[in-house]
Amino acid sequence: MSAGMMIELLVAFLLVLTIGYCMTLNRRLKRLRNDEEALRATIAELITATEIAERAILGLKATAGDCDKNLAHRLMEAERLASDLQYYVSQGEGVVGRLVKISDAVRSGAAAPQKLASHAALERDVEYDRVNNGYRGVSAHAHYEAMEREQSAPVVEAVEKPRNLKDVAAATSERLMAIRQKRGVAA
Protein backbone atom coordinates (compact mmCIF):
# COMPACT_ATOMS: atom_id res chain seq x y z
CA MET A 1 0.00 0.00 0.00
CA SER A 2 1.22 3.26 -0.91
CA ALA A 3 1.28 6.35 1.14
CA GLY A 4 -1.44 7.98 -0.99
CA MET A 5 -3.76 5.05 -0.43
CA MET A 6 -3.20 5.14 3.30
CA ILE A 7 -3.95 8.83 3.39
CA GLU A 8 -7.14 8.24 1.38
CA LEU A 9 -8.17 5.40 3.73
CA LEU A 10 -7.45 7.64 6.70
CA VAL A 11 -9.50 10.44 5.13
CA ALA A 12 -12.33 7.96 4.34
CA PHE A 13 -12.27 6.69 7.93
CA LEU A 14 -12.34 10.23 9.26
CA LEU A 15 -15.26 11.02 6.90
CA VAL A 16 -17.18 8.01 8.20
CA LEU A 17 -16.51 9.18 11.76
CA THR A 18 -17.64 12.72 10.84
CA ILE A 19 -20.83 11.39 9.22
CA GLY A 20 -21.58 9.28 12.33
CA TYR A 21 -20.92 12.26 14.57
CA CYS A 22 -23.14 14.49 12.40
CA MET A 23 -25.98 11.90 12.61
CA THR A 24 -25.67 11.83 16.41
CA LEU A 25 -25.55 15.60 16.51
CA ASN A 26 -28.64 15.77 14.24
CA ARG A 27 -30.61 13.50 16.60
CA ARG A 28 -29.63 15.64 19.56
CA LEU A 29 -30.67 18.82 17.73
CA LYS A 30 -34.09 17.26 16.91
CA ARG A 31 -34.60 16.40 20.56
CA LEU A 32 -33.56 19.93 21.53
CA ARG A 33 -36.08 21.38 19.04
CA ASN A 34 -38.81 19.12 20.44
CA ASP A 35 -37.87 20.16 23.98
CA GLU A 36 -37.89 23.78 22.80
CA GLU A 37 -41.49 23.37 21.56
CA ALA A 38 -42.52 21.80 24.86
CA LEU A 39 -40.71 24.57 26.73
CA ARG A 40 -42.50 27.24 24.64
CA ALA A 41 -45.85 25.58 25.39
CA THR A 42 -44.97 25.47 29.08
CA ILE A 43 -43.94 29.14 29.03
CA ALA A 44 -47.21 30.07 27.26
CA GLU A 45 -49.19 28.17 29.91
CA LEU A 46 -47.23 29.92 32.66
CA ILE A 47 -47.93 33.32 31.11
CA THR A 48 -51.65 32.49 30.87
CA ALA A 49 -51.69 31.24 34.46
CA THR A 50 -49.88 34.40 35.60
CA GLU A 51 -52.43 36.63 33.86
CA ILE A 52 -55.31 34.67 35.42
CA ALA A 53 -53.64 34.95 38.84
CA GLU A 54 -53.16 38.70 38.40
CA ARG A 55 -56.85 39.13 37.55
CA ALA A 56 -57.81 36.96 40.52
CA ILE A 57 -55.58 39.04 42.82
CA LEU A 58 -57.20 42.25 41.55
CA GLY A 59 -60.62 40.69 42.15
CA LEU A 60 -59.58 39.63 45.65
CA LYS A 61 -58.27 43.13 46.40
CA ALA A 62 -61.57 44.63 45.24
CA THR A 63 -63.54 42.11 47.29
CA ALA A 64 -61.35 42.73 50.35
CA GLY A 65 -61.88 46.48 49.95
CA ASP A 66 -65.65 46.00 49.71
CA CYS A 67 -65.62 43.69 52.73
CA ASP A 68 -63.54 46.21 54.67
CA LYS A 69 -65.96 49.02 53.85
CA ASN A 70 -68.96 46.82 54.64
CA LEU A 71 -67.41 45.66 57.91
CA ALA A 72 -66.50 49.21 58.89
CA HIS A 73 -70.06 50.30 58.15
CA ARG A 74 -71.49 47.43 60.18
CA LEU A 75 -69.12 48.12 63.08
CA MET A 76 -70.13 51.78 63.12
CA GLU A 77 -73.80 50.75 63.03
CA ALA A 78 -73.22 48.23 65.84
CA GLU A 79 -71.43 50.85 67.95
CA ARG A 80 -74.27 53.29 67.36
CA LEU A 81 -76.86 50.67 68.29
CA ALA A 82 -74.85 49.70 71.37
CA SER A 83 -74.69 53.31 72.52
CA ASP A 84 -78.41 53.74 71.81
CA LEU A 85 -79.16 50.57 73.75
CA GLN A 86 -76.96 51.70 76.62
CA TYR A 87 -78.78 55.04 76.65
CA TYR A 88 -82.20 53.37 76.65
CA VAL A 89 -81.18 50.95 79.40
CA SER A 90 -79.94 53.83 81.55
CA GLN A 91 -83.15 55.76 80.83
CA GLY A 92 -85.15 52.63 81.68
CA GLU A 93 -83.25 52.22 84.93
CA GLY A 94 -84.07 55.83 85.80
CA VAL A 95 -87.75 55.32 85.03
CA VAL A 96 -87.82 52.07 87.00
CA GLY A 97 -86.15 53.83 89.91
CA ARG A 98 -88.75 56.59 89.86
CA LEU A 99 -91.56 54.03 89.58
CA VAL A 100 -90.15 52.09 92.53
CA LYS A 101 -90.00 55.27 94.60
CA ILE A 102 -93.58 56.12 93.65
CA SER A 103 -94.84 52.61 94.36
CA ASP A 104 -92.97 52.52 97.68
CA ALA A 105 -94.54 55.84 98.61
CA VAL A 106 -97.99 54.58 97.62
CA ARG A 107 -97.54 51.28 99.48
CA SER A 108 -96.27 52.95 102.62
CA GLY A 109 -99.44 54.98 102.79
CA ALA A 110 -97.98 58.34 101.89
CA ALA A 111 -100.31 61.31 101.96
CA ALA A 112 -102.48 62.14 98.97
CA PRO A 113 -100.50 65.32 98.13
CA GLN A 114 -97.40 63.16 97.69
CA LYS A 115 -99.36 60.90 95.35
CA LEU A 116 -100.40 63.91 93.33
CA ALA A 117 -96.83 65.19 93.30
CA SER A 118 -95.62 61.78 92.12
CA HIS A 119 -98.36 61.76 89.53
CA ALA A 120 -97.31 65.21 88.29
CA ALA A 121 -93.63 64.18 88.23
CA LEU A 122 -94.49 61.05 86.27
CA GLU A 123 -96.59 63.13 83.87
CA ARG A 124 -93.64 65.51 83.38
CA ASP A 125 -91.23 62.62 82.80
CA VAL A 126 -93.48 60.98 80.23
CA GLU A 127 -94.02 64.31 78.46
CA TYR A 128 -90.26 64.92 78.46
CA ASP A 129 -89.67 61.46 76.96
CA ARG A 130 -92.39 62.08 74.38
CA VAL A 131 -90.92 65.42 73.30
CA ASN A 132 -87.21 64.61 73.46
CA ASN A 133 -87.08 60.90 72.69
CA GLY A 134 -90.06 60.47 70.41
CA TYR A 135 -92.00 58.40 73.00
CA ARG A 136 -95.57 57.84 71.86
CA GLY A 137 -96.73 55.37 74.47
CA VAL A 138 -99.39 55.33 77.11
CA SER A 139 -99.98 58.59 78.97
CA ALA A 140 -98.59 59.21 82.43
CA HIS A 141 -102.13 59.15 83.79
CA ALA A 142 -102.58 55.58 82.54
CA HIS A 143 -99.24 54.66 84.14
CA TYR A 144 -100.35 56.20 87.41
CA GLU A 145 -103.70 54.38 87.33
CA ALA A 146 -101.91 51.10 86.64
CA MET A 147 -99.65 51.77 89.63
CA GLU A 148 -102.67 52.44 91.84
CA ARG A 149 -104.17 49.10 90.75
CA GLU A 150 -100.90 47.47 91.73
CA GLN A 151 -101.05 48.89 95.29
CA SER A 152 -102.41 45.62 96.57
CA ALA A 153 -99.59 43.67 94.91
CA PRO A 154 -96.93 42.31 97.26
CA VAL A 155 -93.74 44.29 97.57
CA VAL A 156 -90.99 42.78 95.47
CA GLU A 157 -87.63 42.65 97.18
CA ALA A 158 -84.87 44.67 95.64
CA VAL A 159 -82.51 42.66 93.50
CA GLU A 160 -78.97 43.46 92.65
CA LYS A 161 -78.38 45.65 89.64
CA PRO A 162 -78.46 43.57 86.44
CA ARG A 163 -75.35 43.55 84.32
CA ASN A 164 -76.84 43.40 80.84
CA LEU A 165 -80.09 43.49 78.90
CA LYS A 166 -80.50 39.72 79.08
CA ASP A 167 -80.36 39.86 82.89
CA VAL A 168 -82.89 42.72 82.90
CA ALA A 169 -85.29 40.71 80.75
CA ALA A 170 -84.89 37.59 82.89
CA ALA A 171 -85.39 39.53 86.13
CA THR A 172 -88.46 41.30 84.76
CA SER A 173 -89.92 38.02 83.57
CA GLU A 174 -89.36 36.43 86.98
CA ARG A 175 -91.00 39.37 88.76
CA LEU A 176 -94.00 39.25 86.45
CA MET A 177 -94.41 35.50 87.00
CA ALA A 178 -94.19 35.97 90.79
CA ILE A 179 -96.87 38.68 90.73
CA ARG A 180 -99.13 36.57 88.53
CA GLN A 181 -98.73 33.53 90.78
CA LYS A 182 -99.52 35.53 93.93
CA ARG A 183 -102.63 36.94 92.30
CA GLY A 184 -103.68 33.56 90.95
CA VAL A 185 -103.52 34.67 87.31
CA ALA A 186 -102.60 31.92 84.86
CA ALA A 187 -99.19 32.50 83.31
Side-chain angles (χ1 to χ4, degrees):
M1 280 216 163
S2 71
M5 183 67 123
M6 282 185 86
I7 292 178
E8 283 187 31
L9 280 175
L10 182 61
V11 169
F13 176 71
L14 289 175
L15 275 174
V16 169
L17 277 177
T18 304
I19 290 172
Y21 183 72
C22 285
M23 288 174 55
T24 305
L25 190 58
N26 188 31
R27 273 186 266 132
R28 286 183 183 172
L29 286 173
K30 283 182 182 178
R31 274 192 308 210
L32 184 62
R33 286 187 194 120
N34 289 338
D35 289 345
E36 181 185 1
E37 293 296 323
L39 187 60
R40 284 181 193 222
T42 303
I43 290 172
E45 289 175 7
L46 282 173
I47 290 171
T48 303
T50 303
E51 290 171 353
I52 291 171
E54 286 174 355
R55 284 186 295 224
I57 288 171
L58 290 175
L60 285 173
K61 284 182 180 178
T63 302
D66 290 344
C67 288
D68 187 39
K69 288 177 186 175
N70 192 14
L71 183 60
H73 175 71
R74 286 186 179 188
L75 282 174
M76 287 175 22
E77 183 70 15
E79 287 174 358
R80 185 188 63 78
L81 289 174
S83 67
D84 287 351
L85 187 59
Q86 185 177 16
Y87 171 76
Y88 290 133
V89 166
S90 67
Q91 291 296 317
E93 287 175 351
V95 169
V96 167
R98 289 190 301 264
L99 289 174
V100 166
K101 287 179 185 177
I102 292 169
S103 67
D104 286 346
V106 169
R107 285 191 184 118
S108 67
Q114 287 179 336
K115 287 183 183 179
L116 292 176
S118 298
H119 175 65
L122 184 60
E123 188 78 43
R124 269 194 326 271
D125 291 342
V126 170
E127 181 62 21
Y128 178 82
D129 284 344
R130 185 186 69 72
V131 170
N132 294 317
N133 300 327
Y135 175 72
R136 290 179 175 73
V138 181
S139 70
H141 183 67
H143 284 291
Y144 186 72
E145 287 176 353
M147 285 180 4
E148 286 180 344
R149 284 193 301 270
E150 295 293 323
Q151 283 182 4
S152 61
V155 176
V156 179
E157 292 85 26
V159 293
E160 68 181 60
K161 186 175 181 180
R163 293 185 181 160
N164 59 32
L165 189 58
K166 204 177 213 181
D167 293 342
V168 170
T172 305
S173 177
E174 288 174 9
R175 289 179 191 162
L176 181 61
M177 293 299 289
I179 291 170
R180 284 182 177 172
Q181 287 175 355
K182 288 183 181 181
R183 287 188 169 189
V185 177

